[in-house]
Amino acid sequence: MYQPLADALRPASLDDVCGQEHILGSDGLLRRIIESGNVPNMIFYGPSGTGKTTVANLIANKTRRKLCKLNATTASSADIKEIYNQLDTFLAPDGVLLYLDEIQYFNKKQQQTLLEYIENGKITLIASTTENPYFYVYNAILSRATVFEFKPVGANEALRAVKRAVTALEARNGVQAEVEPGTLEHVAQSCGGDIRKAINAVELLFSAAKQENGVQKITLDDAKLISQRSAMRYDRAGDDHYDDLSALMKSIRGSDPDAAIHYLARFLEAGDLPSACRRILCSACEDIGLAYPQAIPIVKACVDSALQLGLPEARLPLADAVILLATAPKSNSGYLAIDAAMRDVKAGKTGNVPRELQNVHADGTGFEREQGYLYPHSYPNHWVKQQYLPDEIKDRQYYIYGENKTEQAAKRYWDEIKK
């Protein structure tokens, strides 16, 4: 029966695992736990193809535990109960290791049921997820488990797996491979940190390669065709999506046009115009704001143009908008002011609108009462000292002028008038 190469090449020891040096290195915490043999309930969190299942297999072998695998997309609470009921039939002196893949697909009730079977230690849970467990995993399970994050594998480590795959395919097919320089490096770089994807790419290259005199010709051009868009990790409902949104806005805020344009490119490559446009519009108001007020209508015009043009042309006005924002002076004074005001309103710090600001009306007395409102346009410079906030918060200051040319000019103008 055919066995995928990625499965056949699963590491047989921790030293063969690519990447994850931060937890599996010579002094990594997870390595020390595994080598101690006293393995607790754990949650492996990280992208696909980073070694989560492989490490679970290695733990089962190391600890002499029976490994039972379930995938939460198809499994049910009954499947876990069945494993529990068969504990006595398993020839595993140290109990059972339950590997539950994609635990985020278990609903809250199913996760609560899972607790019943891991409480007494006969079943040790290793759950894996590609989503943030602190958002998707029930708190009671989190409190009984240790979370380990698996990170995308770097290109240098991925190259090690790619070379191993070439050697394995040569042995499997009884042929010699002639690999064009730079090809394996390209596969390792373009796999997006996913070792499974990299090995699958090598296997596909072998299948498609031309054979001359018993030699498989592996070319860089073929590798580039196979890897088109392969490095993209994009799920509009997943963590990567929100990480990219956060990185785009923080790069603009940090005035790094190169990083900002890079994260914009991720959204454009994924065809997600709405998310990018919304974040750019928000940044114009939140991070540039009153330091360069014209940025707001300019960016709005760029976004409107992008949505009207559609891809691929939409990249042009959006690139202009992102670079404009990243290189513009920054101020969050408006953002701070409205948030401070809303905190007071939510806390009930409001009070009655001063009488002189109220709408002109009769207060049930049969005649209109004098309000005492001072009309600013009737005074020099269109300003007159007058209380506008309610008495309870009359001295509250929400807006503080930002340290930029535009806001400081406005401050000097009003300081001169009000003195």
Side-chain angles (χ1 to χ4, degrees):
M1 186 177 72
Y2 168 74
Q3 182 184 20
L5 184 63
D7 189 56
L9 292 182
R10 283 193 187 277
S13 72
L14 291 176
D15 292 331
D16 292 334
V17 176
C18 295
Q20 314 316 325
E21 186 70 18
H22 62 295
I23 53 176
L24 294 176
S26 58
D27 196 41
L29 178 59
L30 182 54
R31 175 185 281 269
R32 284 183 277 137
I33 289 174
I34 295 170
E35 290 177 345
S36 74
N38 185 24
V39 177
N41 297 312
M42 294 185 286
I43 296 174
F44 292 168
Y45 155 51
S48 300
T50 53
K52 300 187 295 295
T53 303
T54 294
V55 173
N57 288 331
L58 293 174
I59 291 174
N61 294 335
K62 177 74 175 178
T63 58
R64 299 185 308 157
R65 300 187 188 191
K66 168 72 174 178
L67 180 63
C68 297
K69 295 182 180 180
L70 293 176
N71 190 300
T73 59
T74 56
S76 65
S77 299
D79 295 315
I80 298 174
K81 183 177 180 180
E82 183 179 350
I83 292 172
Y84 187 81
N85 290 337
Q86 294 179 16
L87 285 177
D88 294 336
T89 67
F90 293 136
L91 298 177
D94 294 326
V96 168
L97 185 68
L98 171 61
Y99 182 66
L100 181 60
D101 199 11
E102 304 291 357
I103 189 176
Q104 73 269 20
Y105 290 107
F106 261 16
N107 59 37
K108 185 175 181 179
K109 184 177 181 181
Q110 288 173 310
Q111 292 189 37
Q112 287 174 323
T113 303
L114 182 59
L115 287 174
E116 176 185 344
Y117 303 110
I118 66 174
E119 287 284 15
N120 61 13
K122 290 185 178 181
I123 291 182
T124 299
L125 173 69
I126 295 183
S128 73
T129 176
T130 56
E131 306 295 345
N132 191 329
Y134 298 102
F135 295 158
Y136 292 92
V137 179
Y138 183 48
N139 282 336
I141 291 180
L142 285 175
S143 72
R144 292 164 173 80
T146 303
V147 177
F148 288 97
E149 182 179 1
F150 284 63
K151 298 180 179 180
V153 180
N156 288 336
E157 282 292 301
L159 182 59
R160 186 156 63 96
V162 168
K163 289 179 177 178
R164 192 165 70 230
V166 171
T167 302
L169 285 170
E170 286 178 322
R172 175 188 283 185
N173 299 322
V175 298
Q176 180 183 353
E178 184 180 297
V179 183
E180 185 177 347
T183 301
L184 300 186
E185 289 78 5
H186 177 80
V187 172
Q189 181 68 51
S190 63
C191 69
D194 185 332
I195 295 297
R196 185 186 300 109
K197 185 180 292 184
I199 293 175
N200 289 342
V202 173
E203 191 170 18
L204 188 56
L205 281 173
F206 255 78
S207 300
K210 295 179 180 178
Q211 191 174 104
E212 297 178 9
N213 301 321
V215 176
Q216 296 287 107
K217 300 284 188 177
I218 310 296
T219 68
L220 180 57
D221 285 342
D222 282 349
K224 289 179 178 179
L225 288 172
I226 287 173
S227 63
Q228 284 183 351
R229 298 186 68 160
S230 67
M232 282 294 298
R233 291 184 182 274
Y234 197 81
D235 176 359
R236 193 171 293 189
D239 287 341
D240 288 343
H241 169 74
Y242 295 101
D243 287 344
D244 287 345
L245 284 175
S246 177
L248 172 61
M249 196 160 185
K250 287 174 180 173
S251 298
I252 291 173
R253 184 181 301 144
S255 302
D256 188 331
D258 298 310
I261 207 75
H262 168 80
Y263 292 113
L264 172 64
R266 292 192 183 193
F267 286 98
L268 298 180
E269 183 67 11
D272 188 357
L273 275 181
S275 295
C277 290
R278 182 176 181 274
R279 189 55 51 184
I280 293 168
L281 285 169
C282 180
S283 188
C285 300
E286 179 178 343
D287 298 312
I288 286 76
L290 299 174
Y292 181 32
Q294 277 300 105
I296 298 172
I298 291 173
V299 169
K300 177 62 166 62
C302 288
V303 165
D304 288 346
S305 297
L307 294 175
Q308 187 171 3
L309 287 169
L311 288 169
E313 290 84 358
R315 73 190 191 283
L316 303 174
L318 290 186
D320 289 342
V322 163
I323 293 172
L324 172 73
L325 294 179
T327 56
K330 305 296 187 294
S331 174
N332 68 340
S333 57
Y335 161 74
L336 295 175
I338 187 60
D339 275 12
M342 291 185 72
R343 281 195 298 271
D344 274 359
V345 171
K346 288 179 180 178
K349 297 178 182 178
T350 51
N352 294 324
V353 175
R355 174 60 195 169
E356 55 269 30
L357 300 187
Q358 293 176 8
N359 184 38
V360 177
H361 57 78
D363 288 327
T365 60
F367 61 90
E368 188 176 290
R369 200 177 76 183
E370 174 59 37
Q371 284 185 280
Y373 172 59
L374 304 179
Y375 188 58
H377 295 299
S378 299
Y379 294 85
N381 298 310
H382 306 270
W383 181 82
V384 61
K385 187 173 183 179
Q386 184 169 219
Q387 179 183 327
Y388 291 94
L389 281 170
D391 289 338
E392 291 85 344
I393 54 172
K394 65 180 181 179
D395 296 321
R396 184 81 80 221
Q397 181 180 9
Y398 297 116
Y399 173 62
I400 298 175
Y401 289 94
E403 297 293 332
N404 58 78
K405 182 174 69 174
T406 302
E407 288 181 88
Q408 286 300 307
K411 183 177 185 299
R412 286 192 297 272
Y413 173 82
W414 286 109
D415 284 348
E416 182 65 25
I417 289 176
K418 292 180 180 181
K419 75 179 182 182

